[in-house]
Amino acid sequence: MARIVMKFGGTSVADMDRIRNVARHVKREVDAGHEVAVVVSAMSGKTNELVGWTRDASPMHDAREYDAVVASGEQVTSGLLAIALQHIGINARSWQGWQIPIRTDNAHGAARIMDIDGTDLIRRFGEGQVAVIAGFQGLGPDNRIATLGRGGSDTSAVAIAAAVKADRCDIYTDVDGVYTTDPRIEPKAKRLKKIAFEEMLEMASLGAKVLQVRSVELAMVFKVRTFVRSSFDDPDAPGMGDFLNPPGTLICDEEEILEQEVVTGIAYAKDEAQISLRRLADRPGVSAAIFGPLAEAHINVDMIVQNTSEDGSRTDMTFTVPSGDLDKAMKVLTESKGTIGFDVIQNEAGLVKVSVIGIGMRSHAGVAASAFRALAEKGINIKAITTSEIKISILIDGAYAELAVRTLHSVYGLDKS
């Protein structure tokens, strides 16, 4: 017997037929003798509808009331799934975030989990009950519902798995695992059997949409073995009940991966914008003068490149922000021109960041050179580069995104069996 947390996203619970299918997945694990908690998202499209209603009520709405509204989607799903499980003979009970409780900070709309008391859940496991938990939500220090941001049900599931010391956390979604790159761009993309926490964290933060970044961070910190699986597979198909090696991709500690590839995958993020500040005084504090106001405006800055003039007196600073934040960033920087002291500000939107990721890069030379050579041969110009031990990120024109992904996927042999 093991303890398993199962999470089902919006497309997996989009209507009653799919909720009944989820109930069959849960029944399979219960019949195998496992203790089970299920975390659910709102039905597909419901959160967008609820968000739309709050904006229609008032564009400048209270974040606490926003949370009260949007958290209701998961409440509906958890109740419906509990009823569906009861109908097929499973002892199940729905739980809202405040009932567990899942304690969060006070950042309504984008709260972070601070603590989870799993005592009652574990007691109910002992009584043979399945816990059906509304994801995406917790209880803030003001004793009001606080939501965790879009994709927050992934984080709920991993955090609960850590709190109850689950043997496994299964994230069921509309794809059957993590791929070497987006199969919609590269049909030769392969599903990974295993991927290390660090690699998955880079993939998620650099554009892969399979898991929320915060959920991967928690899984890595608490060593929660996490499987990405498809809810659309037949619940009773051969191998679905295999505890050690179910179909899907295992996200785990790198020590579990015996044969580490040099490059694991290629991620990409669209809608990047580049801002360049020309002829800045090269003096202490200039970087703080630029990036401090941007941080205060909650604008995330990514790739940063600085060039210094030959005599060391002037410098150019180039960096990227999400395209949706470009206008706000330009306004903030223009208003701070007197403090920063630049001569000219330039910007360019419609760029794409393509990233090469792999723990094996730590011990192999020439990985970056291979990428640069391959892109040059395809006539793709590189605008900026950033690197870490396990990733290389390259900024290019958006028009070349798909070509770059396919080229890099091939050059590292990811399209081979």
Side-chain angles (χ1 to χ4, degrees):
M1 184 179 72
R3 188 172 292 164
I4 299 174
V5 174
M6 308 170 73
K7 182 266 175 177
F8 293 89
T11 54
S12 304
V13 292
D15 53 39
M16 280 311 305
D17 284 341
R18 291 189 180 177
I19 288 174
R20 293 186 188 99
N21 185 62
V22 165
R24 290 175 59 208
H25 279 288
V26 176
K27 186 176 188 299
R28 180 192 65 236
E29 304 298 351
V30 173
D31 289 348
H34 302 314
E35 296 177 343
V36 178
V38 189
V39 176
V40 291
S41 298
M43 300 166 83
S44 182
K46 183 56 66 178
T47 300
N48 286 340
E49 181 181 29
L50 295 170
V51 170
W53 287 351
T54 64
R55 290 175 177 164
D56 189 33
S58 171
M60 299 299 290
H61 47 260
D62 187 321
R64 294 164 296 185
E65 301 308 334
Y66 168 93
D67 278 353
V69 173
V70 299
S72 66
E74 282 72 16
Q75 180 172 330
V76 170
T77 312
S78 61
L80 290 174
L81 179 56
I83 292 170
L85 286 167
Q86 292 167 1
H87 181 71
I88 59 175
I90 301 295
N91 178 10
R93 183 62 61 201
S94 67
W95 295 70
Q96 308 312 305
W98 60 268
Q99 292 175 301
I100 293 174
I102 298 172
R103 298 283 181 182
T104 74
D105 63 16
N106 208 28
H108 284 278
R112 293 173 73 88
I113 295 173
M114 307 304 290
D115 182 60
I116 297 178
D117 185 351
T119 305
D120 278 351
L121 291 178
I122 294 170
R123 180 175 60 81
R124 298 289 186 95
F125 290 153
E127 297 171 0
Q129 189 174 95
V130 172
V132 184
I133 302 166
F136 178 58
Q137 61 177 257
L139 184 68
D142 55 1
N143 277 336
R144 298 189 63 89
I145 293 171
T147 63
L148 309 180
R150 300 306 291 265
S153 293
D154 289 345
T155 301
S156 300
V158 174
I160 288 165
V164 302
K165 296 180 169 55
D167 298 280
R168 203 176 76 204
C169 181
D170 292 353
I171 306 290
Y172 286 83
T173 181
D174 53 1
V175 295
D176 61 353
V178 180
Y179 280 71
T180 49
T181 196
D182 188 341
R184 294 169 299 181
I185 288 181
E186 176 49 87
K188 294 179 181 179
K190 301 290 190 298
R191 188 178 73 192
L192 297 164
K193 189 172 182 61
K194 294 181 179 181
I195 183 171
F197 289 125
E198 287 182 84
E199 293 172 319
M200 190 65 238
L201 184 58
E202 292 286 6
M203 293 278 277
S205 63
L206 293 169
K209 304 297 185 186
V210 179
L211 290 174
Q212 190 199 45
V213 173
R214 178 64 178 150
S215 70
V216 185
E217 290 176 344
L218 286 175
M220 183 165 66
V221 169
F222 292 102
K223 304 291 190 216
V224 177
R225 299 176 83 249
T226 304
F227 277 91
V228 177
R229 307 180 62 176
S230 172
S231 64
F232 300 128
D233 289 341
D234 184 342
D236 301 315
M240 288 295 288
D242 186 335
F243 178 74
L244 294 176
N245 295 293
T249 299
L250 171 63
I251 306 167
C252 59
D253 197 276
E254 67 176 288
E255 293 176 1
E256 287 195 51
I257 304 175
L258 299 178
E259 295 185 18
Q260 188 63 249
E261 299 292 336
V262 177
V263 171
T264 299
I266 312 296
Y268 68 97
K270 293 182 176 179
D271 298 322
E272 296 283 312
Q274 186 180 62
I275 296 175
S276 296
L277 302 177
R278 304 296 185 191
R279 294 185 291 281
L280 293 152
D282 192 8
R283 56 177 172 78
V286 69
S287 295
I290 296 168
F291 300 116
L294 293 173
E296 290 172 7
H298 305 289
I299 297 169
N300 289 324
V301 174
D302 187 18
M303 309 175 82
I304 302 173
V305 178
Q306 183 175 3
N307 298 312
T308 304
S309 63
E310 190 172 340
D311 64 3
S313 64
R314 309 292 281 177
T315 185
D316 291 342
M317 189 78 75
T318 299
F319 52 90
T320 62
V321 299
S323 286
D325 287 336
L326 177 58
D327 289 343
K328 183 163 67 169
M330 291 292 289
K331 182 174 184 292
V332 167
L333 292 168
T334 301
E335 289 174 350
S336 302
K337 182 177 181 180
T339 305
I340 299 169
F342 57 84
D343 281 355
V344 177
I345 184 170
Q346 300 169 327
N347 70 83
E348 183 178 4
L351 305 178
V352 168
K353 178 175 61 181
V354 181
S355 302
V356 178
I357 299 155
I359 282 179
M361 291 166 58
R362 287 174 177 160
S363 55
H364 287 77
V367 178
S370 297
F372 304 152
R373 189 180 308 113
L375 295 177
E377 290 172 356
K378 297 293 184 180
I380 300 173
N381 187 45
I382 297 172
K383 293 179 174 292
I385 302 163
T386 58
T387 64
S388 74
E389 272 194 320
I390 66 168
K391 74 109 191 294
I392 304 159
S393 290
I394 300 164
L395 191 69
I396 61 173
D397 284 325
Y400 294 101
E402 295 190 10
L403 176 60
V405 168
R406 288 194 296 268
T407 298
L408 295 173
H409 192 266
S410 176
V411 80
Y412 295 115
L414 298 177
D415 53 351
K416 296 180 172 59
S417 300

